[in-house]
Amino acid sequence: MTGDRPLTVGIDIGGTTIRAAAIDDGGEVLDTVQAPTPQSARALEDALEVAVRDLGRRHPVSAVGLAVAGFIDSHRSTVRFAPHLPWHDAPVTQLLSDRLELPVILEHDANAAMWAEYRFGAAAGGHNAVLITIGTGIGSALLSDGRLFRGSHGVAPELGHLQVVPEGRACPCGKNGCWERYCSGTALADTAIEMLATQPLRSALARDVARDPGSLTGRRVAGAARDGDPLAERVMSEFARWLGLGLAIVSDIFDPDLVVIAGGVSSSAPLFLDEARDTYARTITGAGHRPLARIRTTQLGEAAGMIGAADLAKTALSNQSQSNQSQSTHSQSTQSQSTHSQSTHSRAAEPVAPRSP
């Protein structure tokens, strides 16, 4: 067991894997456990309890933070809907707090990652920042004046579903032409297939696609681009263009001073980020006449969700403690004033001796 100072546990609950970590006050990951994500709600809650108790056997734990990809209510207590998890309108914080006898907070995974980057990583020093996580789709988070912006109902922002191509590629969300359909790991494969259909090229990647189009992945495209494959390089250039265009739209709306690019595709940033910056700088409204946001890649990587969830749990616990102290002080003050008032009232009620003439 490490030290006597309680740690917080941050858990990133993915569709395939649960990753939990014991995090100290400085955002350092001291210990981790992981397990497959169960497919039933009860089994998922069992697995989360096991992960926390496993870490708790080696470290003192004061609170737990959960990072979830899905819609969370404005009180951050209920998972309304998570496309890859079995929770639907589930009071997750209450369920787990009762089991663990610990405070539990809930946060969207992109918000948790944004908070971690702000507190300990690439967004440190930013005031109005945007996090764009690029993987299978696009996740996003906004920081406004140093505070997470969640919207009126707790579901903001969904930047990946900004429509950039009317009647464009179909999106699982039900719309067409969403930004993530052109700027994601999935989009890399789709773009390669579309390019080959209209502009045949001779390359190793093209031969792979011709043999088995369904086997193509974004990871394969990025790897081929590193090897100098001409088709893959064109696909990455198109990806960079869409990233820059999307960031220009986001900046027109939000005007951030900092953008952090995270997610699995960010590991291939040398293949696209400079070109994306150029497109962003050219297409933002008022180009050449306004400051541009700094665009960085994540410093915390896959650990960001766990670190952010843990730090948010620690902050919530600290705020609750301060609130309790304030209420206690106020109660004592009120009681003291009441006692003093009753004493004064008692003296005032006593008969007053008449003054001597």
Side-chain angles (χ1 to χ4, degrees), residues 152-185:
S152 298
H153 305 104
V155 299
E158 286 290 341
L159 300 180
H161 297 286
L162 291 172
Q163 190 181 54
V164 295
V165 182
E167 307 306 320
R169 295 173 183 170
C171 182
C173 77
K175 299 193 297 186
N176 290 80
C178 293
W179 186 23
E180 70 173 40
R181 298 300 296 117
Y182 298 86
C183 185
S184 63

Side-chain angles (χ1 to χ4, degrees), residues 288-300:
H289 303 285
R290 60 182 287 184
L292 298 175
R294 294 163 291 162
I295 303 175
R296 300 174 175 172
T297 54
T298 174
Q299 287 184 11
L300 302 176

Side-chain angles (χ1 to χ4, degrees), residues 256-317:
D257 54 12
L258 182 65
V259 175
V260 178
I261 305 297
V265 178
S266 68
S267 62
S268 300
L271 299 173
F272 62 79
L273 195 56
D274 286 344
E275 188 173 349
R277 286 190 180 108
D278 290 342
T279 301
Y280 157 72
R282 289 196 312 271
T283 56
I284 191 172
T285 301
H289 303 285
R290 60 182 287 184
L292 298 175
R294 294 163 291 162
I295 303 175
R296 300 174 175 172
T297 54
T298 174
Q299 287 184 11
L300 302 176
E302 292 184 348
M306 295 186 294
I307 294 171
D311 195 65
L312 287 165
K314 177 178 72 69
T315 301
L317 184 63

Side-chain angles (χ1 to χ4, degrees), residues 8 23-25 27 115 119-120 306-316:
T8 45
I23 313 288
D24 69 12
D25 289 351
W115 186 254
R119 291 274 287 128
F120 310 110
M306 295 186 294
I307 294 171
D311 195 65
L312 287 165
K314 177 178 72 69
T315 301

